[in-house]
Amino acid sequence: MSWFACPKVGCVRRAPAFGIAVAALVFSGASAAGDETAADTVLRNGYVYTVDPHDSVAQALAIRAGRIVYVGSNEGVKPYVGPATQVQDLQGRMVMPGLIDGHMHPLGGGAARMGCSLDAAPLTTSQFLERIQSCLDASKDQEPAAWLQVSGWCRQVMRPPGTDADAATLAALKTDRPIAVASTDGRTLVANRRALEVAGISKATPDVPDGRIVRDRDGNPTGVFEDGGQRALTAVFPVPSRTDRLKMARAALAAMREQGITSFLDAATSPSSLSAFSAVYKAGELTARAYFAPVIDAKDAAEPAEVVAALRITKALYDTGPLAPAPALTVRNAKIFMDGLLQPPAQTAALFAPYRVDKGRPGAPKWVDGDRTGAPFFAADVLNPLMVALGEAGFEPHIHATGDRAVHQALDAVEVMRNALPDADVRAAIAHAELVDPADYDRFARLDAIPVMSFQWARPGPNSIDGTRDYLGPVRFAHLEPEGSLYAAHARIAYGSDWPVDKLDEWSAIQAGVTRTGDPALGKRYAGRLNSEKPLPRAFALRAITLNAAYELHQDAQTGSLETGKLADLIVLDRNVLKVPPEDIAITRVLMTVVGGSTVYRAAGF
Ligand SMILES: [Zn+2]
C-alpha cells in the first residue's frame, strides 16, 4: 500500500538528501513551470516536509488560487515568482501539512477555552479552590445568581492521590453563586450547596438507574453526581444562547489556528454545534475545514432507513459541497457509540473478560476477577445492517469503541459492510481502541478500518495507570493504548485529540506518541513508559495527524500532504520536529497557519 511506503523514521530524507527528494518532486510536480502564470505566494529556503509517499523533503513551494502548484527546490520555484507574488524566506524553518484532528468536540472545547477551566491539571484542594475563586473574582458582576460552570476538572489527578471534592469543599469559596464543576471525562459533576438549592436537589431526590447521586450516611446528596445522576443538575443549567454558541465556535477556531489545525472532525455533533459553525462559516470566519459526525441514537438504530433519512436532511441543511480552497462544512460521518470508558467509576467500556476488583484490605490489595464486563451499546444484529445502510448511502461510520469486545464487534460490523459493499470507498473509523484483542490487530489493515488514537493517553498518569492497571491486570495492561502493535500490523492510524477531554495540545500529543512517557513533574509513580507497547516512529506520528487523518475524513486526495495540485493547507514551525530531541516536540510553536492558500494565523513577530 503506497501510504505505507515509508514507515520508518530512518528513511525520512534529511537536509543533505535535498537533491534526491527534489528531483523526485520536480518529476511529479509542475511541468513547464515557465509557462505557468505567477504564483500568489512562494515559500522558499525552508525544510518542506511533504508527507508524500516517500516523506520527501523539499526547499520551496508555490501556491496559486489556494492550491499548491510547485514543490521543489529554491532554483525550481523561481519561475513562479512574478511581480505580485509574495515571497517569504523561511530561513530554514520547517513547513509541513496542516494538522488534521480526526476526533474532537470543538464546541465544548471552545466553551472550555472561554469559560472557567481547570485545564485537567493535577491540583491540590487549595489550588482547586484558588483557581475557581479567581474565576469568581473575575466575574463579580455575575453575583449572586448567575451559574459558574467550571470545566476541565481531572478528578483522578487531584493531589495527593485519593483527594476528591464535594459541596463541602466548594463551601470554602467566597460567593453566593451556584457552581458546577465538570470532570474532563464528562462522568462527574460537583455542585455547591447553592446549586443544589437552585436545582431543588435534596434527600428526597430519587436515585437513577444509570448513575449515582452520591449521598452521605444520612442520605443527603454530597454534591457529587456521576453518570446519569448528573441529569438532576444539568436539567437546570442555563442553555447557552445563540450568541454564546457562536463565541464558543470562534474560540475553538482560534485555538485550532494557533495549534496549526487546518481540518477537524466534530466527533459527536449536536444540532447546536452545526448551527454555530454554519453561522461562523456564513460570516466568512471559518478558518479550518469542518467535518461533522451526528450521533446515531441506539434507540433509533434498528430503523437504518430512518437513520439515513435523518442524516440526509442534516447534510442537505449544512453540507457545503465539494472541497474548495476556502474552508467549509462537510456532513459525511455518522457517530456510533459502541461502549463507554475503561476507568472507574464508569467502567462502561465493553470487555471480553471482567474488570478486576480489589477484595483485599487497605495495604494488602487482592485483585480478582469481578462480575462486570461492560456491554456493547449495540447488538450485532442492529449494528451490522446499520453499517451497510450507512455505507450504501455514502455516510462514513465513526465508531467509539474503547474496550476489546466493543472493538471486536465494531470490526465485525466493518467486515459485514465490506462484504456487502465490496466496491464502496467507505472510510470506517474506530475511535479510541484503547484495548484491542491481539487477534484483532491485523484486521484493521485488512478491513481498512482506521484506528483514531489519542496519543496522549499512552502517557503514564493517574488516568492511564491508576484508572486501569489493576482493574485490567498485567496481561491486558501490557497492551493498553496499542499504537505500537497496530503500527506493526500496518494499521492506518489517525490522530484525534478528543478535546476537551484533554486540553488541546497537539504537539504534546505527538511527543507522547513517539515517547509514551509522561510528565516528570508527576513523580516516580508515573515515570518511564506506560507499558511494553512500542512508541511510534516520528515520521509515522506526523503522518497520523496529517495524511492518515485526511484519509479518515475522505479528503486525502486534496489535503494531508504537500503535493502539486493539493489544497495549500500548511504550517510553518519554530523548530524541525523531525530533528529536535523528542522531549522538545511538545514545546513546538506554530509560526504560521495557512488554509487553502490564505494565512489564517501568524505568530507575533513572525
Ligand atoms: Zn470523543
Side-chain angles (χ1 to χ4, degrees), residues 274 294 308-321 329-333 393-395:
L274 271 165
V308 166
L311 284 168
R312 284 197 169 122
I313 291 170
T314 306
K315 188 179 180 74
L317 280 172
Y318 294 107
D319 187 287
T320 51
L329 315 175
T330 302
V331 182
R332 186 165 51 214
N333 298 89
F395 289 102

Side-chain angles (χ1 to χ4, degrees), residues 190-358:
V190 174
N192 68 350
R193 297 212 173 91
R194 181 78 190 113
L196 299 184
E197 276 168 39
V198 172
I201 295 166
S202 68
K203 196 171 175 170
T205 303
D207 284 320
V208 294
D210 58 342
R212 207 152 76 100
I213 296 173
V214 182
R215 297 169 194 272
D216 64 18
R217 239 174 305 165
D218 303 324
N220 296 305
T222 64
V224 179
F225 301 84
E226 290 171 353
D227 299 310
Q230 297 176 92
R231 283 193 303 272
L233 207 60
T234 56
V236 300
F237 278 176
V239 178
S241 65
R242 190 185 131 79
T243 314
D244 288 341
R245 292 199 308 269
L246 282 180
K247 282 187 193 157
M248 292 173 196
R250 289 194 180 105
L253 290 163
M256 288 189 228
R257 292 193 288 274
E258 215 172 289
Q259 293 269 317
I261 298 168
T262 52
S263 295
F264 67 90
L265 174 69
D266 177 342
T269 299
S270 61
S272 50
S273 176
L274 271 165
S275 70
F277 281 98
S278 175
V280 170
Y281 164 74
K282 284 177 184 155
E285 296 170 30
L286 192 69
T287 51
R289 305 185 192 285
Y291 289 74
F292 298 92
V295 180
I296 299 176
D297 204 307
K299 70 176 174 8
D300 303 329
E303 301 290 345
E306 282 173 32
V307 169
V308 166
L311 284 168
R312 284 197 169 122
I313 291 170
T314 306
K315 188 179 180 74
L317 280 172
Y318 294 107
D319 187 287
T320 51
L323 282 194
L329 315 175
T330 302
V331 182
R332 186 165 51 214
N333 298 89
K335 177 66 173 285
I336 295 168
F337 279 97
M338 275 303 290
D339 67 348
L341 298 174
L342 278 171
Q343 287 82 1
Q347 292 186 328
T348 42
L351 306 181
F352 279 121
Y355 289 92
R356 303 197 315 162
V357 292
D358 183 6

Side-chain angles (χ1 to χ4, degrees), residues 103 105 432 498:
H103 182 117
H105 306 282
H432 312 320
D498 213 11

Side-chain angles (χ1 to χ4, degrees), residues 1 25 46 74 88 131 153 205 208 283 288 296 307 328 341 387 414 439 443 468 471-472 505 510 524 560 571 594:
M1 278 175 259
L25 281 160
N74 288 336
Q88 179 139 18
R131 290 186 63 154
W153 173 45
T205 303
V208 294
I296 299 176
V307 169
L341 298 174
M387 289 279 283
V414 175
R443 295 177 79 201
T468 58
Y471 298 101
L472 295 176
D505 197 342
I510 293 168
K524 225 170 95 185
I571 52 181
V594 174

